[in-house]
Each structure stands twice: as structure tokens, then as C-alpha cells.
Amino acid sequence: MKAIVYSQNGLPISNENALFELEVDKPTPGARDLLVKIHAIAVNPVDTKVRAGAPTDKPRILGWDAVGVVEAVGAEVTLFQPGDEVFYAGDITRAGSYAEYGLVDERIAGHKPRSLNDADAAALPLTSLTAWELLFDRLEVQADDNAALLIIGAGGGVGSMLTQLASKLTRLTVIGTASRLETADWVRSLGAHHVIDHSQPLGEQLAAIGHKEVRYVASLTHTESYYDQLIDALAPQGKLALIDDPETLDAVPLKRKAISLHWELMFTRSLFHTFDMQRQHEILQRVSQLIDDQTLQTTAGEHHGVISAANLRKAHALIESGRARGKIVLSGF
């Protein structure tokens, strides 16, 4: 089968060897695996981070968001059957989705939303899982919770899903941050009650909208830059959740307010085969239903054409530039 791979980390994306096409063997499903013929994928910042920073001793297939059709199933599969349309974000320890076929454990896959085309559905899994787990599993927000949630980076991929989930499925007051007018408009369209500018002091802006303190903060980007302001903004016994990769994070300043710290990593359940690994299947099933009943919307942004090495290099370059808006999707070979 055709796959797009890298074999040397750290190459600039302008180098044709940063991502290149290779013929590899079609994989064989294990006991709980689905063999999926891949129709569409999305590109995430994690793709570029792994390509840049993770050494590999053999060509590695990147990519985790995928949509496709189940071609075969393992002997112990019970949740799907051949012919099912599925979407998933995969497992960071396995070959990824930049290929004609992929394997995924049935416990971390869901049935694709019926109302979306393949490309629009491919934009959803990784960010939906991350946002859902952060909100409901890490921060443990309840549907009737009427506190305030501050989302740093609400216009990004995860932020766009988190804004929707919090505003549509809970009673939280959702305060998103954005520094550009078009991004602020986008965040409001997704359901945010307020939008403030993260390039300006946060405390004054929060006070101006009547929320001097917030119970919850989801810091999705540049946590180290905002950390002191977030501690100031959090109410005593508040909760701080983050997904990015600060070089260091000193938890001691959280003590005085008894602020709890919560890390979200979507890959944890599949990485450790946790007892509740199948929760990701359940989340994706729920997201699919919420898309089909028009409670949630896709965050697909730019379609970069067919799944090829050249188009994926362009997608990686755009993500690395920081100018991507919405999820970058590709479909077909």
C-alpha cells in the first residue's frame, strides 16, 4: 500500500525527505483491531512535533485523525463490522493515518457522523476527544455547573471543540481568548459568551465583563506565558487544566488557593491500555450523534487536496507557520 513517511527527524519541512512516499505492506488486524481503508485525514500540531522531534530507526507513518471504511476485523471485535464507516484519532505508538490502510483498536474508534463528508468528519476525532476528556474527565464539570470557564486559545482546534461542548452541554459561562478579530468572531459563533484578548492583561478584561475570578481554566497554548495571570484569575479551590508542553511548570504557587492541576493527553488511554480505554469509543459515538443532530459543528478549515507527500508537506508548513485556521484536511489518494 501507499504510505507517506519520515525516516529522519528534524529536517525542515521544505526538504522533500521530511515527508516522502513509500510502498509498505498492508497491515493485518490483531484480535481487537479494525483494518480501515482510509478515505480522509486531518493534520494536527502533534504530527509536526513528532516529525521534528522523535527519532526513528525505520520509516514511520505519521497522522492520527482518520475517516474510512472497515475492510476487515479481528477475531474479538464486537463493536464494528466490515462496511462500517468509522472515524478515530488512533494510538501514538502505532503506525498512523498517512496511508491507504490503517489499524485501530475498536475501543478507540467511533461510527462516522452520517451528516458529514469524509473530510469534514476527519477534522473531529483528536480535538473532540481532547476537549471532551479535559472538560468532563479531568475538570469533572457537570451539566448543571453554572460557574465560569476561561479557555486560553479558544480559536484553535481543541479550543473550537471545547467552546462548543461547554456552551452546548453545560451551564458554564464560557470565556474564550483570541487576539484577532476574525478569530474572536469565530469563537463567538461557536457559543462563547465572552471573548477577551490574550495579548492584553487578562485580569482587567475579566473584571470588565463581571468575572474577576473563574472556577475553571483550560490553558491550551503558551501556558508558561499566562501562568501567573491564570493563578490570579482562578478562584480559591479552582481547577487548571492544560494540554501543551511548557518546559517547566512550578506547582507551588497553586498551593495558597488550593488550585488543582489537571493534565490532558488524549493518547494516555491507548498508550497504557487503561481499564476505561473504551470510553474513547463512547465519546466518539456521542460526538457523532451531536454532529448529526446539529448540536456541534465540524471545525474543518482548509482542504489541502489528496493525501500525498507534497500536500502533507504544505500542511505541515502551514501549521508550523502558526497561520492555520481550523483543521487542515486531505482526502483520497
Side-chain angles (χ1 to χ4, degrees), residues 291-312:
I291 289 286
D292 285 340
D293 70 18
Q294 299 185 330
T295 301
L296 302 178
Q297 67 185 70
T298 182
T299 55
E302 300 185 31
H303 194 297
H304 275 222
V306 298
I307 303 167
S308 69
N311 287 342
L312 280 165

Side-chain angles (χ1 to χ4, degrees), residues 28-60:
T28 301
R32 299 205 67 175
D33 285 340
L34 313 175
L35 174 64
V36 178
K37 182 172 177 56
I38 294 172
H39 289 175
I41 63 173
V43 182
N44 292 283
V46 65
D47 302 25
T48 68
K49 292 176 183 177
V50 172
R51 192 203 83 245
T56 183
D57 57 5
K58 60 182 179 180
R60 181 177 181 182

Side-chain angles (χ1 to χ4, degrees), residues 80 85-88 106 108-112 280-281 284-285:
F80 300 91
E85 293 184 297
V86 295
F87 71 149
Y88 58 88
E106 65 167 345
I108 59 172
H111 290 91
K112 167 188 166 291
Q280 292 201 333
H281 165 72
L284 288 174
Q285 292 290 97

Side-chain angles (χ1 to χ4, degrees), residues 30 78 83 97 196 233 273 318:
T78 62
S97 59
I196 63 176
H273 282 241
L318 182 56

